[in-house]
Amino acid sequence: MCFLVLSSREEKQKKKKEKKERKEKKEKEKQEKRERKEKKQKEKEEKEKEKKATEEAPKEITVIDPAGNTYYHWLFVITIPVMYNWTLIIARACFEELQTDYIIFWFIMDFVSDLIYVADMIFRTRTGYLEQGLLVKDEQKLRERYLKSFQFKLDMVSMVPTDVLYSFLGLKYPEIRLNKLLRFNRMLEFFQRTETRTNYPNALRISNLVMYIVIIIHWNACLYYSFSKAIGFGADRFVYPDPADPEFGRLVRKYAYSMYWSTLTLTTIGETPPPVENSEYFFVVTDFLVGVLIFATIVGNVGSMITNMNAARADFQARIDAIKQYMSFRKVTKDLEKRVIKWFDFLWTNKKAVDEREVLKFLPDKLRAEIAINVHLDTLKKVRIFADCEAGLLVELVLKLQPQVYSPGDYICKKGDIGREMYIIKEGKLAVVADDGIKQFVVLSDGSYFGEISILAIKGSKAGNRRTANIRSIGYSDLFCLSKDDLMEALTEYPDAKALLEEKGRQILMKDGLLDLEVAAQGPDPKEMEEKVERMTSTLDVLQTRYARLLAEQEATHSKLKHRVARLEKKLVPRSEAPLPPTP
C-alpha cells in the first residue's frame, strides 16, 4: 500500500512539473512572438524614418556660381533683350511707321525677348548664394529665396502678358509692353561685373555714361515727336513740321530731326525754335531742367574719370617736381640732374614706377605671398645657396625682395664696401670692372647673382663682409635686392635652414680658397656672443617694462572696480533694513 501511495504521489508531482514546463514553454513562445513583433515594428519604423529622411533630405542640384563665368555670360545674354525693350518700345510707340511697317519682325523679336525673360527667372532659381562661406545647393532654399525677394515681384510684373491687349486696342499700341522695362537691373549688374573684370575700367565708365546719355536723348526725341503729334504737326514753328511735305515725311528724317532737337535742348549748346503755347513752354522748361542735370552729371563723371586715369601720373610727377626743387636748392651739378631725370623717365616709360608693396598691401598675406611666389620664386631659386631650402623660408624671402633700378654707369657695389645685401639680376647687364671703371673682366646678365656670401657673415671668410669686386651697370638694369637684416629675420624661424645655408657658404668659400680653416674651427666669436647677450638683455628690459605697465593697469582697474562696488552697496539698501510702513 505504501508503495502504491508513493508511486501515485510521484506521478502527481511529474504531472505538475510537466504542466509547469508546458506553461513556461508557452510563455517563452509568447515572449518570443512579442519580441519578433517588436523587432518587426522597429524595423518598419526605422525603414519609414529612413524613407522620410531620404524624402526630406535637401536635393542638391547643379548650381550656377554668381562669381563664375557662366553667370557673367548669362548676364550678357539677358542684357540684349533689356536694351532692345528700352530703346525700341518707346520708338515704336511714337513713330507709327516703325511699328506698322515691320509688325511681323517686332512680334518675333518680342516673343524671343519674352522667352529669354522666362529663362532668366528659371536661371535665378538655379543661382547659388553663400551661406557661412559655402555655396548653397539646396533646390528648395534657392527657390524660396528667389520667391521671397523683391526682384521676383518685378520679374512677375514684367512677365504679365500685356500683349493680349493688342486684340482689344489694335496693333498700333506697343506701349502696352512698357512693363518689360522692369528688368533694367540685370543690365546694370552686367555693367558692374564688366567693370570689375576689365583692365580698362575708365574707358568702360565713359562708354556707359555716353550710352545712358544717348538713351535719354533718344527718349526725349520720341516724346518730342509724340508731343508735336498731339498739338498738331506744323501748327507752329516749335513742333515738328507737317509730314505732308515730302522732305519731312520720311521716317529717317522724322527721327533725325527729333534727335537733333533733343540733343540741342538737353545739352543746352544750341538754339531751338521758341515755344508758342503754354504746354510747349512747360515741355521746354522740363527739358531744360533735365538737360542741366545731364550736363552736370557729364562734367562731374568725366572729370572724376580723367582724374582717376591720371592719378598715377600726377603722383609720379609730384615726386619728380619735389626732387627737381631739392636739386636746384642744393645746387646739384647739371650732369647729375640729367641722370636723375633720365632715371625717372626710364621708370615711367617702362612702367616700373609702381611700388609693389603699396599695390599689394591691401591683399591678405596668403594672396600676397602667392603673387610674390608666382613672380619672384623662380628668380630666387637660381641662387645656389637657396636651391635646396625649405619652401616656407623661400616664401619668407620672396616677400622681402625689393626691386631696384640702376642707370647706365651706376655702381652697384665697389671693392672694399661692406656687404649688407645681395643682388639678383632680373633684367639688364652688369660688368665686373677694374678700379679705373673702364676695363671689364666679366659681364653678368639675366639670372646672375652676387653678394650672397657676404650677407651670411661666415666665420673664417678671408674677404669678411667686404666686397671683393667693382660691379657697374652697363645700361639700365633691373635688380632684386635682399638685405642681410631681412635674411636674418627670416632665418630666426628656421634654425635648420640657417645651419644649412652657412654650411653651403663654407663649401663655396673652400672651393674658391677664401676660407681660413683655423679661424673657422675656433668656435663662436666672443663678439657675436656679446652681441647676443646684449640683445637678450634689451629684450628682457622691454619685457620688464611691459610687465610693469600691465601690473599698473591691473591695479588701477582693480581699485576702480572696488570703488564702484562700494558705491552700489551704499545705494542698494537691503529689504531687511528698510523702514516698515506706518500702521493705520
Side-chain angles (χ1 to χ4, degrees):
M1 290 292 292
C2 292
F3 178 76
L4 292 169
V5 172
L6 290 169
S7 61
S8 61
R9 287 179 182 175
E10 289 176 357
E11 286 177 0
K12 288 179 180 179
Q13 289 176 357
K14 285 180 182 180
K15 289 179 180 179
K16 288 180 180 179
K17 286 180 181 180
E18 288 176 358
K19 286 181 180 180
K20 286 181 181 179
E21 290 175 356
R22 289 172 186 172
K23 287 180 180 179
E24 289 176 357
K25 284 182 181 181
K26 288 180 180 179
E27 289 177 357
K28 285 180 181 179
E29 289 176 356
K30 288 179 180 180
Q31 287 180 357
E32 289 176 356
K33 287 180 180 179
R34 288 174 185 173
E35 289 176 357
R36 288 173 188 172
K37 288 181 180 179
E38 289 177 356
K39 284 181 181 180
K40 287 181 180 179
Q41 287 178 355
K42 287 180 180 179
E43 289 176 357
K44 287 181 180 179
E45 290 176 357
E46 288 177 357
K47 287 180 180 179
E48 289 177 356
K49 286 180 180 179
E50 288 177 358
K51 286 182 181 179
K52 288 181 181 179
T54 53
E55 290 175 357
E56 293 176 358
K59 294 181 181 180
E60 291 190 356
I61 57 173
T62 54
V63 172
I64 295 133
D65 187 2
N69 291 327
T70 305
Y71 186 81
Y72 176 72
H73 295 152
W74 176 254
L75 285 177
F76 172 72
V77 173
I78 190 63
T79 299
I80 295 172
V82 172
M83 287 289 295
Y84 161 77
N85 288 321
W86 268 90
T87 53
L88 288 172
I89 287 178
I90 185 68
R92 289 159 54 190
C94 297
F95 298 95
E96 293 181 358
E97 299 94 329
L98 186 64
Q99 172 71 5
T100 56
D101 294 348
Y102 308 96
I103 189 67
I104 297 174
F105 176 74
W106 297 132
F107 279 170
I108 295 171
M109 293 297 295
D110 292 344
F111 179 72
V112 172
S113 68
D114 291 346
L115 283 180
I116 296 175
Y117 276 18
V118 173
D120 183 55
M121 295 182 70
I122 299 171
F123 189 87
R124 282 181 180 274
T125 59
R126 294 293 186 271
T127 303
Y129 65 94
L130 295 177
E131 190 176 80
Q132 296 180 355
L134 298 174
L135 195 66
V136 176
K137 296 183 179 180
D138 184 3
E139 184 180 6
Q140 188 175 357
K141 281 186 177 181
L142 295 175
R143 193 186 299 111
E144 287 179 356
R145 186 172 185 267
Y146 174 56
L147 295 177
K148 291 179 181 178
S149 64
F150 179 70
Q151 184 59 44
F152 173 71
K153 298 176 182 177
L154 293 178
D155 293 347
M156 287 300 296
V157 174
S158 67
M159 289 309 300
V160 173
T162 54
D163 294 2
V164 179
L165 297 175
Y166 278 131
S167 59
F168 300 101
L169 302 177
L171 301 178
K172 295 182 180 180
Y173 298 95
E175 56 267 26
I176 60 177
R177 289 180 54 83
L178 285 175
N179 61 323
K180 308 299 178 183
L181 305 182
L182 295 175
R183 294 287 182 99
F184 69 95
N185 62 336
R186 296 297 265 177
M187 180 179 66
L188 299 179
E189 187 178 0
F190 171 71
F191 291 143
Q192 290 172 359
R193 300 261 178 173
T194 306
E195 186 177 340
T196 57
R197 285 172 172 247
T198 184
N199 292 326
Y200 306 98
N202 291 314
L204 181 67
R205 292 183 193 122
I206 292 173
S207 62
N208 284 344
L209 180 63
V210 171
M211 184 195 70
Y212 295 146
I213 292 169
V214 170
I215 289 175
I216 293 172
I217 293 173
H218 166 76
W219 272 68
N220 192 52
C222 296
L223 293 175
Y224 166 74
Y225 185 81
S226 62
F227 182 75
S228 300
K229 180 181 177 182
I231 293 176
F233 293 120
D236 53 49
R237 56 185 177 177
F238 175 78
V239 297
Y240 185 80
D242 190 1
D245 188 351
E247 184 180 355
F248 298 99
R250 291 177 294 129
L251 177 62
V252 177
R253 174 55 65 90
K254 292 177 181 179
Y255 183 72
Y257 186 93
S258 301
M259 281 290 290
Y260 176 73
W261 184 92
S262 177
T263 304
L264 292 180
T265 304
L266 292 180
T267 55
T268 63
I269 58 174
E271 294 183 1
T272 57
V276 177
E277 297 184 5
N278 293 332
S279 59
E280 296 174 356
Y281 276 106
F282 286 117
F283 184 79
V284 172
V285 168
T286 305
D287 262 13
F288 277 146
L289 291 175
V290 175
V292 169
L293 293 175
I294 291 174
F295 186 74
T297 304
I298 293 171
V299 172
N301 284 300
V302 172
S304 63
M305 290 173 190
I306 292 172
T307 53
N308 290 331
M309 292 171 68
N310 297 327
R313 179 63 188 177
D315 185 27
F316 185 74
Q317 191 63 42
R319 281 187 277 169
I320 297 176
D321 295 340
I323 290 173
K324 283 181 180 178
Q325 290 177 1
Y326 175 80
M327 289 190 294
S328 63
F329 177 73
R330 295 297 181 184
K331 297 179 181 179
V332 177
T333 59
K334 293 294 182 181
D335 294 335
L336 183 57
E337 188 174 347
K338 287 180 181 177
R339 286 175 60 193
V340 171
I341 294 171
K342 283 183 179 179
W343 182 78
F344 273 109
D345 289 338
F346 172 79
L347 289 182
W348 181 256
T349 54
N350 291 274
K351 298 180 180 180
K352 295 181 179 180
V354 178
D355 189 356
E356 292 184 3
R357 294 190 175 184
E358 287 294 322
V359 173
L360 301 177
K361 70 179 182 180
F362 300 105
L363 293 176
D365 295 337
K366 293 294 182 182
L367 282 178
R368 190 164 64 247
E370 287 184 13
I371 291 176
I373 288 168
N374 195 2
V375 176
H376 304 313
L377 187 60
D378 293 336
T379 305
L380 189 63
K381 281 184 177 179
K382 292 177 181 178
V383 184
R384 286 180 294 174
I385 59 173
F386 299 134
D388 300 324
C389 287
E390 298 179 34
L393 176 62
L394 291 177
V395 172
E396 290 284 337
L397 296 178
V398 158
L399 291 171
K400 297 180 184 299
L401 287 177
Q402 295 181 1
Q404 293 184 359
V405 178
Y406 289 89
S407 302
D410 288 348
Y411 278 95
I412 287 84
C413 62
K414 289 187 176 182
K415 192 174 182 179
D417 291 346
I418 297 173
R420 295 188 178 90
E421 56 275 315
M422 67 165 292
Y423 296 93
I424 306 169
I425 302 173
K426 181 186 178 185
E427 185 181 1
K429 290 186 178 181
L430 306 178
V432 181
V433 298
D435 293 336
D436 58 0
I438 299 172
K439 185 179 180 180
Q440 296 182 3
F441 298 111
V442 181
V443 176
L444 306 175
S445 59
D446 301 353
S448 300
Y449 53 89
F450 56 92
E452 72 276 13
I453 303 299
S454 61
I455 63 174
L456 290 174
I458 297 172
K459 190 177 180 183
S461 175
K462 293 179 180 179
N465 60 347
R466 301 281 179 175
R467 302 293 187 189
T468 57
N470 301 313
I471 299 179
R472 193 174 187 180
S473 177
I474 298 174
Y476 285 100
S477 302
D478 192 1
L479 278 66
F480 286 120
C481 174
L482 179 63
S483 66
K484 181 180 178 180
D485 295 335
D486 289 338
L487 177 63
M488 293 304 167
E489 182 182 352
L491 289 175
T492 53
E493 302 294 334
Y494 300 93
D496 296 336
K498 182 178 181 181
L500 181 63
L501 289 176
E502 290 177 352
E503 183 61 30
K504 284 185 178 181
R506 289 191 194 94
Q507 291 176 3
I508 293 170
L509 290 174
M510 286 176 67
K511 286 181 181 179
D512 298 337
L514 297 175
L515 183 65
D516 190 348
L517 297 175
E518 294 181 358
V519 178
Q522 288 179 1
D525 192 358
K527 290 183 179 180
E528 292 181 359
M529 296 296 293
E530 288 179 1
E531 290 178 357
K532 289 181 180 179
V533 171
E534 288 178 357
R535 288 176 187 171
M536 290 177 67
T537 53
S538 62
T539 52
L540 282 172
D541 291 338
V542 172
L543 289 172
Q544 285 178 353
T545 53
R546 288 180 180 176
Y547 181 67
R549 286 177 185 173
L550 288 172
L551 279 177
E553 290 176 359
Q554 193 268 340
E555 290 177 356
T557 53
H558 188 63
S559 63
K560 286 179 181 178
L561 286 172
K562 277 186 175 180
H563 191 60
R564 288 178 181 176
V565 170
R567 281 183 179 178
L568 289 171
E569 287 178 349
K570 289 179 180 179
K571 289 180 179 180
L572 298 173
V573 180
R575 291 182 178 179
S576 59
E577 296 180 2
L580 296 171
T583 55

